[in-house]
Amino acid sequence: MMRPEVAENVYLPRVAVLDRVVDEIQDVKTFYWHFEDPADREAFKSFRPGQFVQVTLFGAGEMPLSLPPSPTEGETFFTVRRVGSCTEALHGLRPGDKFGVRGPYGNGFPMGSFHGKNLVFVAGGIGLIPLRSCIVYALAHREKYRRIQIFLGARTPRDLMYRDKLLEWERSAGVECYLTVDRAEEGWAGNVGVVGSLFKKPGVEVPVEDTVAFVCGPPVMFRFVIRDLAGMGFSEESIISTLERYMKCGVGKCGHCCIGVAYVCVDGPVFSYRQIRKLGEDI
Amino acid sequence: MSMRARIIHRDDVLKIVDLLRRDREVIAAFLGRGRDSAFGVVTDENRDRVQIHVPNPHYPPKRYVFPHIERIMKLRGGNGEVRIEPTYDAPRRAIFGIRSCDVAGIWHLDRFFLGREFRDIYYQRHREALFLVNVVCTDPGCDIDEHCFCVCADTGPAARDHFDLQLMDLGGDEFMAVAGTPAGEAFLDEPIFRRGTAEHVERRRRILGEVRKHFKEMTTSWFSATVRYVSQGKILDKTWEEIGVRCLECGGCTYVCPACTCFTVRDRQVGPNEWERVRLWDACALGGFTRMAGGHNPRRAVHDRRNRRFFRKLAHYFIQRELTMACVGCGRCNAVCHGDIGMPSVVEMIRRATAPEDKMEPVEGTPAGSK
Ligand SMILES: Cc1cc2nc3c(=O)[nH]c(=O)nc-3n(C[C@H](O)[C@H](O)[C@H](O)COP(=O)(O)OP(=O)(O)OC[C@H]3O[C@@H](n4cnc5c(N)ncnc54)[C@H](O)[C@@H]3O)c2cc1C
Ligand code: SF4
Ligand code: FES
């Protein structure tokens, strides 16, 4: 149940406090935070994997950010790449500094409807950020899902996201992780090539029957991966992704995220590839 | 005659303005130079210049529920001390003489901002403080121009609902007043109103029949066909391209549209560690509207094929979603568009290009097919 003062004004951010900052890859950091008001913390617990929030940085403005944590975890955090004024301002914060958060918004991944299926996660670069939430969620309900595979591609080994986490999942939770880079560097003994090249590697066997493929990454990567998956026999409904659109309100009013017949902020950001095609616009 | 209708003498009509001004700011359209007109606040000085029949201003009355620029909150940050405070500014207001198309525009905004899962509190506060006195367009010389197509959009010339009070010139010295809400009904108790007769009702019907003839014969039956073409993806690429080429991306159409809703949000500094968050009208016709991180603009390529604004307004999906259409037939975009791709022109372009391809439509000899 939403509290009346929050429900009344959907544009009103709530005060959040930064706890600590962890370096991920170049220009990307993870920011752990909590709501100042315990009531906000409580209300926020029910977010779903794949949802997002609107984050206010004083003096810089407001921006949408995914929620990489799973609701099954105790902590809330963002993983953010520095690209412009808002992200820059967030990167400049120190523990104890305050900012604003409102949400969660969006449909999220329908994790319940994937029970009994294999889950294949395919990510390019920071595309792993929104997928992290479902991966952790699936691992917290491991018995509900069959095989879980993660394919991650990045430009260089130094650009591989959440590497320690991947290792941990692989060791502890029966997850198969496959990594690849565009350009190898000193000490890299793994695969070199686009993420789709991993599907055909000896020893890799991607289940197609009863499988959902989650694909997130830059538009070029998305197009190639879709082609690969389709070639392997994945149907358009069995491929899902999140769309990233310029967003100003997050609640279906400003019109900025509207593509085809969907408002990405309320109808998405999670769509099946079939829906994306019907929207009739580029990814 | 219905309980909710009364007759008022021509000399008394402006007394409605006076009554409203007791406890509200009253907005009316004033004539400027030539045919130009603009909404403004009624004062003691200009009260006598309030007219019943006046060309509908291009700058729509939408701003009284959805201001062009509106501060929505104050933000204070820095030194560990932060405050986020919503700000509301919704004075009690009435619009005197709002046209039927614009009443429908406000009803569309109601559906959009107050319907669905999230309610817009800023819009709601303006709306709840607003009293609408609709005037039916009956004067062909003044009220109706060559761009008006409320008859096609099914919003006029007489609004059926969503006003508080409706006035219609019955000729001679008489106006009919109809109440649309309890607030409007309470108004009819004022002594300036008297009961009407069956003859008044008959006269109203006859005048409306006459008025309808003054609308330019054009896209009447093609609006619904166009909705179907757009919704079923029947529009040829070359038609979208032609529309795209003619669009100068000035944003003028969205600026004058009583049913456009897009906005952007900005924070501006107002003091040390103090900002105010404002929202302002934005336009999907403008190039930067969908721009994203890294300069990747997803709309660019497709935009040339499918005009965002017309698709948004004409796709059946959205009409179903809001239960009203995002075009109310006011014709303003046609009046201001330099590329002649206002809504009526676009409906016509789409019809001409698509109908021959569409086996369901007769092409020749249809009433709207003249021209
Ligand atoms: C649903 C959603 C979830 C997202 N999740 C994450 C995440 O978890 N981590 C992350 O690093 N980034 C994420 N993004 C992208 C992030 O919102 C943008 O990088 C951020 O808004 C840029 O703001 P800025 O002020 O730093 O950049 P600006 O100075 O505004 O501009 C820098 C660049 O970013 C673009 N941009 C500005 N605002 C937006 C916006 N609202 N949406 C998209 N692009 C924008 C500009 O066009 C420009 O190219 C997400 C975006 C969406 C829509
Ligand atoms: S689209 Fe044009 S004609 Fe329709 S309501 Fe808007 S301005 Fe008026
Ligand atoms: S972000 Fe405003 S409508 Fe989707």
Side-chain angles (χ1 to χ4, degrees):
Chain A
M1 208 18 227
M2 247 200 192
R3 286 156 302 140
E5 74 275 17
V6 182
E8 185 190 61
N9 190 331
V10 290
Y11 301 109
L12 204 62
R14 311 294 297 168
V15 176
V17 186
L18 187 65
D19 295 323
R20 61 182 208 281
V21 182
V22 175
D23 282 322
E24 295 287 349
I25 57 174
Q26 193 183 349
D27 288 335
V28 179
K29 290 182 175 169
T30 293
F31 302 84
Y32 291 82
W33 57 275
H34 66 271
F35 278 114
E36 195 170 55
D37 184 342
D40 291 323
R41 246 171 281 162
E42 198 50 43
F44 199 73
K45 279 187 175 156
S46 56
F47 75 86
R48 295 188 296 276
Q51 287 193 300
F52 68 96
V53 286
Q54 290 284 96
V55 180
T56 291
L57 281 310
F58 294 100
E62 198 176 40
M63 65 174 163
L65 290 177
S66 312
L67 289 166
S70 157
T72 54
E73 290 175 282
E75 281 186 303
T76 43
F77 53 91
F78 312 126
T79 301
V80 180
R81 167 149 50 197
R82 193 167 63 198
V83 296
S85 50
C86 274
T87 47
E88 184 79 53
L90 181 59
H91 276 248
L93 294 189
R94 283 180 309 233
D97 284 347
K98 292 175 183 171
F99 53 99
V101 175
R102 61 187 176 93
Y105 298 127
N107 56 357
F109 291 94
M111 295 307 288
S113 64
F114 302 147
H115 287 169
K117 291 190 188 275
N118 304 298
L119 309 180
V120 172
F121 297 93
V122 189
I126 61 168
L128 192 57
I129 297 172
L131 293 184
R132 187 194 176 285
S133 181
C134 335
I135 296 171
V136 175
Y137 183 89
L139 296 184
H141 304 90
R142 188 66 190 86
E143 72 292 349
K144 296 260 183 8
Y145 304 97
R146 282 151 69 185
R147 287 174 72 181
I148 300 181
Q149 297 182 326
I150 300 171
F151 296 89
L152 174 65
R155 270 174 305 173
T156 73
R158 281 174 295 128
D159 297 312
L160 287 163
M161 285 291 306
Y162 298 136
R163 239 176 125 177
D164 298 342
K165 271 282 161 205
L166 291 171
L167 275 174
E168 187 189 314
W169 296 332
E170 192 163 32
R171 272 198 301 266
S172 66
V175 174
E176 304 157 55
C177 290
Y178 303 99
L179 308 182
T180 185
V181 295
D182 297 340
R183 266 180 294 120
E185 279 176 351
E186 267 303 309
W188 177 254
N191 193 65
V192 178
V194 296
V195 69
S197 67
L198 291 170
F199 303 148
K200 295 167 216 96
K201 291 284 287 185
V204 178
E205 185 235 329
V206 184
V208 176
E209 285 293 302
D210 281 332
T211 303
V212 187
F214 300 71
V215 185
C216 277
V220 190
M221 168 267 181
F222 184 84
R223 277 195 289 276
F224 280 108
V225 169
I226 293 292
R227 214 182 49 190
D228 294 337
L229 293 176
M232 289 155 68
F234 277 87
S235 68
E236 289 183 349
E237 297 93 277
S238 66
I239 302 172
I240 57 176
S241 184
T242 64
L243 289 185
E244 218 181 82
R245 279 297 180 278
Y246 192 68
M247 289 183 179
K248 279 295 173 188
C249 73
V251 292
K253 304 297 184 204
C254 75
H256 280 266
C257 70
C258 182
I259 71 167
V261 293
Y263 278 70
V264 173
C265 65
V266 287
D267 302 323
V270 176
F271 295 97
S272 71
Y273 181 55
R274 187 191 176 81
Q275 289 172 313
I276 292 174
R277 279 188 23 123
K278 272 177 70 180
L279 295 175
E281 291 209 24
D282 284 1
I283 179 85
Chain B
M1 183 163 186
S2 128
M3 283 290 294
R4 296 154 64 242
R6 292 287 184 276
I7 298 301
I8 176 170
H9 193 277
R10 182 174 300 272
D11 295 340
D12 287 338
V13 167
L14 287 194
K15 289 187 183 153
I16 297 175
V17 173
D18 302 332
L19 288 168
L20 287 167
R21 284 184 67 210
R22 286 179 311 192
D23 60 351
R24 300 171 179 273
E25 175 180 274
V26 177
I27 307 296
F30 290 96
L31 203 56
R33 265 166 302 189
R35 257 188 88 91
D36 278 355
S37 60
F39 288 104
V41 179
V42 179
T43 62
D44 292 342
E45 284 70 46
N46 66 18
R47 182 268 187 203
D48 293 337
R49 289 197 288 117
V50 173
Q51 280 169 287
I52 305 297
H53 300 291
V54 57
N56 203 10
H58 281 165
Y59 190 23
K62 176 173 78 181
R63 65 183 182 277
Y64 300 112
V65 277
F66 176 35
H68 194 165
I69 299 181
E70 179 171 32
R71 185 178 69 182
I72 59 173
M73 62 190 76
K74 284 199 258 190
L75 307 167
R76 192 194 285 271
N79 311 328
E81 186 51 42
V82 304
R83 263 225 319 277
I84 302 173
E85 212 182 293
T87 55
Y88 302 107
D89 178 23
R92 277 169 68 80
R93 265 202 195 107
I95 304 177
F96 179 83
I98 186 170
R99 302 290 146 168
S100 298
C101 52
D102 288 340
V103 171
I106 288 182
W107 171 237
H108 176 76
L109 300 180
D110 288 351
R111 302 287 320 158
F112 181 81
F113 282 115
L114 306 179
R116 300 186 60 82
E117 55 271 68
F118 296 104
R119 199 167 31 87
D120 188 300
I121 185 71
Y122 298 95
Y123 180 88
Q124 185 179 8
R125 291 195 174 210
H126 288 296
R127 184 66 180 95
E128 283 171 358
L130 189 66
F131 187 94
L132 295 177
V133 183
N134 170 225
V135 166
V136 177
C137 295
T138 49
D139 182 339
C142 233
D143 299 337
I144 303 163
D145 69 21
E146 72 273 24
H147 302 294
C148 292
F149 66 115
C150 59
V151 175
C152 323
D154 195 26
T155 56
R160 282 186 291 266
D161 209 346
H162 314 307
F163 49 79
D164 292 285
L165 211 56
Q166 180 179 67
L167 297 172
M168 180 171 149
D169 195 336
L170 294 182
D173 283 334
E174 290 178 320
F175 276 72
M176 182 180 283
V178 178
T181 59
E185 205 156 332
F187 226 85
L188 296 182
D189 294 337
E190 296 288 342
I192 49 178
F193 297 100
R194 61 189 166 81
R195 287 184 178 278
T197 64
E199 187 276 327
H200 289 116
V201 178
E202 175 53 27
R203 212 185 321 157
R204 177 188 153 98
R205 201 189 54 74
R206 205 182 58 239
I207 292 170
L208 280 179
E210 280 301 310
V211 169
R212 285 180 160 263
K213 294 188 192 135
H214 289 284
F215 288 86
K216 193 177 149 197
E217 188 198 319
M218 47 175 185
T219 48
T220 314
S221 57
W222 291 99
F223 224 145
S224 55
T226 305
V227 167
R228 188 162 56 76
Y229 295 153
V230 170
S231 311
Q232 296 175 348
K234 287 217 168 109
I235 315 289
L236 304 170
D237 277 5
K238 71 171 168 55
T239 311
W240 284 129
E241 260 159 41
E242 199 186 330
I243 295 168
V245 165
R246 288 217 222 154
C247 178
L248 307 177
E249 298 189 15
C250 70
C253 54
T254 55
Y255 193 86
V256 298
C257 184
C260 272
T261 50
C262 292
F263 63 83
T264 188
V265 179
R266 270 203 205 132
D267 290 357
R268 58 186 183 199
Q269 188 146 21
V270 289
N273 296 325
E274 255 188 281
W275 297 268
E276 51 185 33
R277 180 162 290 175
V278 293
R279 71 165 168 197
L280 37 146
W281 292 358
D282 203 350
C284 59
L286 304 178
F289 195 70
T290 50
R291 165 189 57 92
M292 280 205 315
H296 170 69
N297 190 331
R299 187 154 302 158
R300 209 55 244 170
V302 191
H303 172 99
D304 292 337
R305 275 189 275 129
R306 190 167 77 188
N307 182 293
R308 175 82 239 136
R309 181 164 185 269
F310 295 113
F311 185 78
R312 173 68 181 79
K313 286 185 184 294
L314 293 169
H316 179 248
Y317 175 85
F318 288 113
I319 301 173
Q320 211 176 21
R321 183 176 177 133
E322 277 120 33
L323 302 180
T324 55
M325 190 159 167
C327 173
V328 297
C330 72
R332 287 182 174 97
C333 54
N334 233 38
V336 301
C337 183
H338 291 284
D340 191 19
I341 47 160
M343 182 61 88
S345 305
V346 163
V347 168
E348 178 68 17
M349 279 167 80
I350 290 178
R351 160 182 101 76
R352 281 165 170 267
T354 319
E357 310 283 324
D358 180 41
K359 296 182 183 52
M360 277 175 66
E361 295 296 342
V363 180
E364 299 298 332
T366 51
S370 57
K371 187 170 153 187

